[in-house]
Amino acid sequence: MRSVIDDAKRVDVAVYAAIAATPTPSLDLAMGRLSRAADYSRLSLASAALLALGGGRAGRQAATMGLASVGVAATAINLVIKPLGMRRRPDREAAEVPFARQVPMPASSSFPSGHSAAAFAFATGVGYTLPQAAAPLRALAALVAYSRVHTGVHYPGDVVAGSLLGSGLAQATTRMLSARR
């Protein structure tokens, strides 16, 4: 089992290094801006406001489910899972991540990605009530997740784990809230 985990970590580091080594000047600015826009779930909050203001009763319910899902996921990830993960952040200097794509390096553990968890939790929570909104929000969540690797603050495995955890926690949250009604 230990060798499987070690192999997975080596692949994770190798993929991170390959992304860092790939010149993408046309993406660098956009990915940095997207990554920063997702700080503190600002994209989810803005999306929730649009849904609540323009989506009628269903939009308000979807925004509520999405934000509740973010709240549960962010709390679980940041207060429970990240402290247990204790994975060091990637070394951007060693990987030669271009300065133009870098965002501030968070002080928290790298595993799992909180940005990815929150973005996928919101998309999944909204999708429970408004399935037609799920696809574009999941696409945005996938871009947020990639932006965290592109900017050098997460390994790919961190964002995959965060995405899956955020989606799973959102499913549990929406089911629990729906059962209470």
Side-chain angles (χ1 to χ4, degrees):
M1 181 65 158
R2 187 76 151 143
S3 67
V4 171
I5 293 171
D6 291 340
D7 288 345
K9 285 182 180 178
R10 278 193 287 280
V11 169
D12 210 21
V13 171
V15 171
Y16 174 83
I19 291 170
T22 303
T24 55
S26 60
L27 276 182
D28 293 348
L29 182 62
M31 289 294 108
R33 284 183 177 165
L34 178 62
S35 187
R36 285 187 301 279
D39 288 348
Y40 308 107
S41 298
R42 287 189 299 234
L43 288 175
S44 296
L45 291 168
S47 297
L50 291 174
L51 285 166
L53 292 173
R57 183 172 183 260
R60 287 187 297 279
Q61 185 178 7
T64 299
M65 288 292 204
L67 292 177
S69 296
V70 169
V72 169
T75 301
I77 296 296
N78 291 313
L79 297 181
V80 178
I81 300 170
K82 271 187 179 281
L84 294 174
M86 297 300 295
R87 186 175 194 188
R88 294 179 70 132
R89 294 276 176 175
D91 183 347
R92 291 191 291 204
E93 192 174 308
E96 298 180 8
V97 174
F99 183 76
R101 67 170 74 164
Q102 293 183 21
V103 296
M105 183 66 78
S108 63
S109 172
S110 184
F111 183 86
S113 166
H115 281 69
S116 301
F120 274 93
F122 182 76
T124 302
V126 167
Y128 183 83
T129 303
L130 281 179
Q132 65 272 27
L137 288 173
R138 284 193 178 110
L140 179 60
L143 286 171
V144 167
Y146 173 75
S147 78
R148 301 304 284 170
V149 178
H150 189 88
T151 58
V153 297
H154 277 291
Y155 293 105
D158 300 337
V159 300
V160 169
S163 301
L164 293 172
L165 286 165
S167 295
L169 289 165
Q171 287 175 356
T173 301
T174 54
R175 285 187 182 128
M176 187 171 47
L177 290 175
S178 293
R180 296 180 74 195
R181 289 182 181 189

